[in-house]
Amino acid sequence: YFVPSWLSQAYQEFAKADVDYVMHVGDVSEGMSNRAGHIYELDHIGFDQQKDEAISQLSQWDGPQYFIDGNHDRWFVKAGNAGALIVKDICEAIPDATFLGHDEGNITINGCVVKLWHGEDGSSYATSYRIQKLVEAFSPGEKPNVLLAGHVHKQGYWMERAVHCVSA
């Protein structure tokens, strides 16, 4: 469920706060799943319409943006549309937008590693459990300083094994 005015308002607040860049942890588009009735929930039908709408909305930000794709975005790939990489295409159309990768990507800021991660796993009863298990799986050399996680539609912040964890 997307409300365009909320994104516009967020970008306005970011500008007031002198935010340097925006990071997006996936599900940039609505996708086109095979779930019964899903097509009736979409605001824009098909790859081109969803891509054009995302470009229009995300172009409001005048500064760097970093993206990974999520499971909704990858529905276009899974449906057999070879090469239909919607988030990569969106980033190529927006100045200062960078596609970091499928499902995850890293940014290093002044020596601090920020990992953007989406995942396709299910949600857990405890908000922190999913991310706790992910952080436990990192080897010491690949553990980020900050983990921004998407997918489950649950918000939270906590420290786990010296990693700042944000469920977006």
Side-chain angles (χ1 to χ4, degrees):
Y1 182 69
F2 174 68
V3 180
S5 63
W6 293 355
L7 179 64
S8 297
Q9 183 180 4
Y11 282 152
Q12 290 170 16
E13 292 299 320
F14 297 164
K16 285 182 200 173
D18 291 326
V19 167
D20 292 323
Y21 38 81
V22 173
M23 298 178 212
H24 198 302
V25 293
D27 290 349
V28 178
S29 68
E30 295 177 300
M32 297 281 295
S33 78
N34 292 324
R35 180 172 46 84
H38 183 243
I39 196 164
Y40 301 110
E41 299 170 6
L42 299 176
D43 292 320
H44 300 88
I45 308 296
F47 181 89
D48 288 331
Q49 286 190 25
Q50 289 187 28
K51 180 181 79 170
D52 292 347
E53 178 64 13
I55 291 166
S56 173
Q57 292 295 330
L58 297 168
S59 291
Q60 294 177 66
W61 178 249
D62 184 25
Q65 298 184 85
Y66 299 94
F67 295 85
I68 60 172
D69 63 13
N71 59 305
H72 285 253
D73 308 309
R74 289 189 298 272
W75 281 334
F76 293 109
V77 175
K78 292 176 185 177
N81 300 313
L85 304 175
I86 194 165
V87 178
K88 185 176 183 208
D89 287 356
I90 291 165
C91 288
E92 288 174 356
I94 299 173
D96 291 327
T98 302
F99 177 65
L100 297 175
H102 303 292
D103 200 48
E104 65 180 284
N106 291 344
I107 303 169
T108 302
I109 304 164
N110 297 327
C112 176
V113 176
V114 179
K115 176 175 279 301
L116 282 66
W117 182 74
H118 191 82
E120 289 199 31
D121 55 333
S123 186
S124 57
Y125 176 75
T127 302
S128 63
Y129 182 79
R130 171 180 184 259
I131 294 176
Q132 287 173 326
K133 291 301 176 190
L134 177 63
V135 171
E136 287 174 11
F138 290 135
S139 67
E142 67 178 18
K143 200 164 65 167
N145 302 95
V146 178
L147 172 66
L148 305 177
H151 186 60
V152 295
H153 308 253
K154 294 180 180 177
Q155 188 276 329
Y157 166 79
W158 58 93
M159 288 287 289
E160 183 67 34
R161 296 186 180 207
V163 177
H164 293 271
C165 300
V166 178
S167 180

